Amino acid sequence: MATVLLVEDEADLCNLIKGHLEGDGYTVVQAFDGPTALTLVEQHRPDVIILDWMLPGMDGLAVCRRVRQSHLMPILMLTARSEEIDRVLGLEVGADDYVVKPFSMRELLARVRALLRRVTLDAQSPVSGGQAAEPLASVAGAASAEADAATTTIVRGPLRVDPAMHVATLDGAELDLTPKEFELLQLFVEHPGRAFSREFLVERIWGYEYDGFERTVDTHITRLRKKLGPLGDKIITVWGVGYRLVL
Ligand code: CA
């Protein structure tokens, strides 16, 4: 069964949520502050993270940014703020969904299930597969998980990406992509809607950083957009962050 990392500093609420999650069969790991959450992410590699926005010391946004530097598991933000700008910002730092307090436990559980289902569909393997259900769980240690992911063809709208054959097609026509362009496209179709920072893309696709790397990412994105034709507009620029595929 899936492991949930629950990060919430209000102990009563944290324990209440934990009880409901366990009732649904999840394994729950609790953190009451940001730094502990980051440590537990490395120790437990949770399948999903429920992350409160307002935490003492290091807030949920900062935690989210840090997790996203090297992990792709779904993150559900809890927030008491309902301003639209905050919501957008939460998603732009790499959160996948959010729930505004006060929320019902039923709603929260439904969101968690939906996030895990999405990961499962992406990987086309059962949630109980744990790490295998999140093929890109870690930039550092993804090599073996990637081998599993590489056997799965991903279909997203008119796009079809076959990592094993290294072939991408648009409406059935093969796209003429360079290896880097292919890897970028694969990452986007595996995680539609997810915003990727330029730093993440460089580390993930190129494997190292160097001066001017942001321009390199931008150049590759521009070429990839052009090759995708009308669909190129679906790779959108996230201001101050990077890029995401909206499809
Ligand atoms: Ca809080």
Side-chain angles (χ1 to χ4, degrees):
M1 199 60 198
T3 298
V4 180
L5 172 60
L6 174 59
V7 191
E8 165 63 79
D9 59 307
E10 293 160 55
D12 288 346
L13 180 59
C14 196
N15 290 328
L16 180 69
I17 297 172
K18 179 174 188 271
H20 281 269
L21 287 168
E22 287 176 343
D24 246 23
Y26 298 104
T27 301
V28 181
V29 181
Q30 282 173 297
F32 300 95
D33 62 77
T36 306
L38 292 174
T39 304
L40 293 178
V41 167
E42 301 305 325
Q43 280 177 5
H44 295 271
R45 298 294 167 89
D47 298 288
V48 61
I49 302 175
I50 299 175
L51 179 58
D52 186 33
W53 191 301
M54 297 299 281
L55 296 166
M58 184 180 198
D59 72 12
L61 276 190
V63 174
C64 190
R65 279 200 193 92
R66 285 283 297 277
V67 171
R68 276 289 169 264
Q69 284 173 6
S70 48
H71 297 282
L72 289 169
M73 71 277 279
I75 298 177
L76 174 69
M77 298 284 303
L78 305 180
T79 175
R81 308 177 181 191
S82 55
E83 294 88 352
E84 196 64 28
I85 183 72
D86 286 346
R87 295 182 176 188
V88 171
L89 187 59
L91 296 176
E92 286 190 355
V93 296
D96 296 85
D97 200 2
Y98 58 84
V99 176
V100 178
K101 291 179 181 178
F103 50 83
S104 71
M105 286 301 149
R106 207 175 136 196
E107 182 189 3
L108 183 71
L109 292 172
R111 299 293 186 96
V112 170
R113 274 196 294 273
L115 284 174
L116 285 168
R117 198 158 51 232
R118 213 168 83 191
V119 171
T120 309
L121 286 175
D122 284 350
Q124 293 185 4
S125 64
V127 171
S128 57
Q131 294 302 316
E134 181 53 86
L136 300 173
S138 156
V139 167
S144 64
E146 270 172 22
D148 298 339
T151 57
T152 310
T153 300
I154 310 137
V155 180
R156 201 73 67 187
L159 274 172
R160 193 179 177 90
V161 176
D162 183 344
M165 300 297 287
H166 237 260
V167 170
T169 59
L170 176 61
D171 287 323
E174 189 174 339
L175 292 164
D176 182 21
L177 303 177
T178 66
K180 297 298 184 205
E181 290 163 358
F182 182 88
E183 286 180 52
L184 277 170
L185 182 63
Q186 181 184 344
L187 190 64
F188 283 131
V189 298
E190 281 172 342
H191 303 276
R194 167 83 44 88
F196 292 102
S197 69
R198 291 180 178 82
E199 290 86 345
F200 181 92
L201 292 174
V202 166
E203 195 180 329
R204 168 84 197 146
I205 308 288
W206 281 266
Y208 55 89
E209 285 193 20
Y210 52 92
D211 287 343
F213 69 86
E214 294 200 352
R215 275 199 309 281
T216 303
V217 173
D218 292 344
T219 306
H220 279 77
I221 293 285
T222 301
R223 278 196 226 122
L224 180 58
R225 278 176 172 154
K226 201 172 283 180
K227 289 180 180 181
L228 290 176
L231 213 65
D233 292 345
K234 301 293 184 185
I235 299 177
I236 64 169
T237 305
V238 183
W239 186 83
V241 179
Y243 299 96
R244 77 167 107 194
L245 176 70
V246 180
L247 196 62

